[in-house]
Amino acid sequence: MRSAGIPFVILRPGVIYGPAMASQFNAMFKSIEKGKSKIIGKGDNLLPFVHERDVALAFLLAVQKKGV
């Protein structure tokens, strides 16, 4: 796309969290703690967590800013 002169932005926010997700994350962590769910791999993999407001702001800025 860059060679065609079309501006673009790639956003990769990672794991998005917010108030609506609190109960789901709590249930997942409790399940792992009780041994009902397994951690995949060694458990040392890193996942970036980002708040839903920050993701919304990033998308808003990406579409508003010219020349990004």
Side-chain angles (χ1 to χ4, degrees), residues 48-64:
F49 282 75
V50 60
H51 194 272
E52 61 189 15
R53 288 183 192 167
D54 294 328
V55 174
L57 180 59
F59 275 84
L60 183 63
L61 291 172
V63 297
Q64 289 180 340

Side-chain angles (χ1 to χ4, degrees), residues 14-30:
V15 179
I16 302 169
Y17 72 93
M21 298 297 292
S23 63
Q24 293 171 349
F25 278 119
N26 287 340
M28 178 184 67
F29 292 135
K30 285 180 183 178

Side-chain angles (χ1 to χ4, degrees), residues 19-41:
M21 298 297 292
S23 63
Q24 293 171 349
F25 278 119
N26 287 340
M28 178 184 67
F29 292 135
K30 285 180 183 178
S31 179
I32 292 170
E33 188 177 66
K34 292 178 182 179
K36 294 182 179 180
S37 294
K38 294 187 177 187
I39 295 175
I40 299 171

